[in-house]
Amino acid sequence: MRNFTSVHDIGDMNLALQNAKFVKEHPYADQELGKNKTLLLIFFNSSLRTRLSTQKAGLNLGMNVIVLDINQGAWKLETERGVIMDGDKPEHILEAIPVMGSYCDIIGVRSFAQFANKADDYNEVILNQFIQYSGRPVFSMEAATRHPLQSFADLITIEEYKKTERPKVVLTWAPHPKALPQAVPNSFAEWMNAADYEFVITHPEGYELDEKFVGNAVVEYDKEKAYRGADFIYAKNWAAYQDPNYGKILSTDRSWTVDSDKMALTNNAYFMHCLPVRRNMIVSDEVIEGPQSIVIPEAANRVVSAQVILKEILKDL
Ligand code: AN0
Ligand code: CP
């Protein structure tokens, strides 16, 4: 594998899941693979899970790991080409990227959608610049439109907990006070479609995602109908995608909060969320603390997904 930015880079999904099983059972089997290889993790945005789990995955593979928070101690980066740099940004990303590439063998990048320009976000301008100018394999640690390490961990988790071959998985929008990107739901949808589960997306009107990611999913505006018979409820907030409301909050309706009443409509569904989660906005205390909540094993599987991907990239270095 050269770069990992979406489900399209994973190749055979069953093989990827087998690799995940192996990595989970034998986390230190490939300590030699990463010896004297340096993993550089670049964060333009905050992180707890991605930061820790990806470092852990690199360490399990014997790699050296360096983490840089661009906004804490590095120079502010100009990202537009052609601007006269007389403002507050002392360095251009077009120098910074190849310099960073010269200090490592593999680069992970976290760079969220900025909601300033939809085309820039959906063309993945920052991530693609890393791919183009770093000279190194690049993997996404959540870019503007996708969060593939999260979705792969979600898939691994569903495979571990599912009781039927083709479970009903429901992605539900839930309210949140701040505008959040569509990366997690886009990516989750893409992976669920590839896994060929019974997949339903439910959200208030106006929150329609890019149809490229929705794919074959059933979009059901009636949330009670969507919940009925679900085996997995996957909650996430996102801001509007469709024009002219791109990046805007259209609703904070707490009737969309995942609570025990709605969970009672399901087939005793498991509750999932990528975290961090705002309690009693996205999900009630009762549900997230309840026996069907699998948010902690889901987060733990982030080491597994990252390790599978790093292993595949290391093999092809
Ligand atoms: C981010 C998001 O919604 O994309 C990261 C989730 C993994 N969440 C927040 O910023 C709260
Ligand atoms: N789920 C996830 O990516 O969490 P962080 O933002 O804490 O890395």
Side-chain angles (χ1 to χ4, degrees):
M1 186 184 293
R2 176 71 186 177
N3 302 306
F4 175 71
T5 64
S6 82
V7 71
H8 307 297
D9 299 315
I10 198 89
D12 184 278
M13 188 168 265
N14 285 323
L15 193 60
L17 285 167
Q18 278 172 33
N19 292 342
K21 220 167 164 221
F22 178 86
V23 157
K24 196 156 179 168
E25 282 163 14
H26 311 281
Y28 307 114
D30 296 290
Q31 282 267 323
E32 284 300 308
L33 192 61
K35 199 169 172 231
N36 293 332
K37 299 286 185 240
T38 300
L39 173 62
L40 177 59
L41 305 180
I42 305 289
F43 288 90
F44 287 87
N45 314 94
S46 303
S47 167
L48 186 150
R49 279 142 292 273
T50 306
R51 173 190 304 274
L52 297 178
S53 62
T54 314
Q55 287 190 61
K56 175 67 175 143
L59 295 172
N60 286 356
L61 292 165
M63 301 185 81
N64 302 311
V65 188
I66 307 175
V67 181
L68 178 66
D69 286 289
I70 291 287
N71 298 320
Q72 284 173 17
W75 304 108
K76 263 196 185 167
L77 295 181
E78 176 58 63
T79 54
E80 296 280 317
R81 196 174 167 280
V83 296
I84 297 165
M85 287 172 58
D86 60 355
D88 64 340
K89 294 172 180 158
E91 177 146 33
H92 203 286
I93 199 165
L94 291 173
E95 281 79 54
I97 289 175
V99 168
M100 292 189 276
S102 73
Y103 302 146
C104 67
D105 300 282
I106 301 176
I107 305 187
V109 181
R110 165 162 285 200
S111 171
F112 290 176
Q114 293 172 43
F115 291 146
N117 180 320
K118 185 174 180 176
D120 280 358
D121 288 343
Y122 272 71
N123 290 325
E124 291 287 7
V125 169
I126 304 282
L127 185 67
N128 283 327
Q129 283 181 323
F130 273 88
I131 291 170
Q132 199 177 346
Y133 299 117
S134 69
R136 302 294 175 203
V138 171
F139 65 96
S140 163
M141 299 194 297
E142 186 173 339
T145 62
R146 294 178 175 93
H147 193 358
L149 287 176
Q150 180 65 50
S151 314
F152 186 18
D154 297 335
L155 174 74
I156 294 165
T157 310
I158 292 172
E159 284 294 304
E160 286 173 348
Y161 282 84
K162 75 178 189 184
K163 297 192 183 100
T164 51
E165 192 48 39
R166 204 163 170 270
K168 177 174 175 181
V169 178
V170 178
L171 165 63
T172 178
W173 179 93
H176 191 275
K178 299 232 158 69
L180 296 183
Q182 296 96 28
V184 170
N186 282 345
S187 189
F188 184 70
E190 204 168 50
W191 286 69
M192 292 302 102
N193 280 313
D196 194 32
Y197 298 141
E198 184 184 345
F199 181 48
V200 176
I201 306 177
T202 185
H203 55 70
E205 285 194 37
Y207 279 98
E208 292 75 16
L209 294 165
D210 184 347
E211 58 187 35
K212 178 173 121 190
F213 296 104
V214 172
N216 296 326
V218 171
V219 177
E220 175 57 69
Y221 294 99
D222 179 343
K223 54 185 172 313
E224 277 77 21
K225 204 169 157 195
Y227 270 67
R228 245 169 247 138
D231 298 300
F232 294 87
I233 296 292
Y234 190 99
K236 184 71 185 86
N237 171 267
W238 63 89
Y241 165 75
Q242 303 291 344
D243 293 325
N245 293 321
Y246 179 67
K248 293 210 174 85
I249 296 176
L250 307 179
S251 166
T252 51
D253 178 0
R254 289 188 50 235
S255 75
W256 285 84
T257 302
V258 181
D259 59 13
S260 301
D261 285 349
K262 283 198 289 301
M263 288 302 279
L265 301 170
T266 69
N267 183 25
N268 198 23
Y270 290 107
F271 172 76
M272 299 178 73
H273 188 281
C274 64
L275 308 181
V277 73
R278 290 185 186 240
R279 285 177 175 222
N280 304 310
M281 287 296 295
I282 303 279
V283 58
S284 69
D285 290 318
E286 208 179 3
V287 169
I288 196 164
E289 291 170 2
Q292 297 308 100
S293 171
I294 54 173
V295 295
I296 307 302
E298 178 186 1
N301 277 333
R302 290 294 307 276
V303 178
V304 180
S305 64
Q307 197 168 330
V308 170
I309 297 309
L310 284 173
K311 202 172 142 178
E312 292 306 308
I313 296 175
L314 281 168
K315 279 190 195 162
D316 289 343
L317 270 187

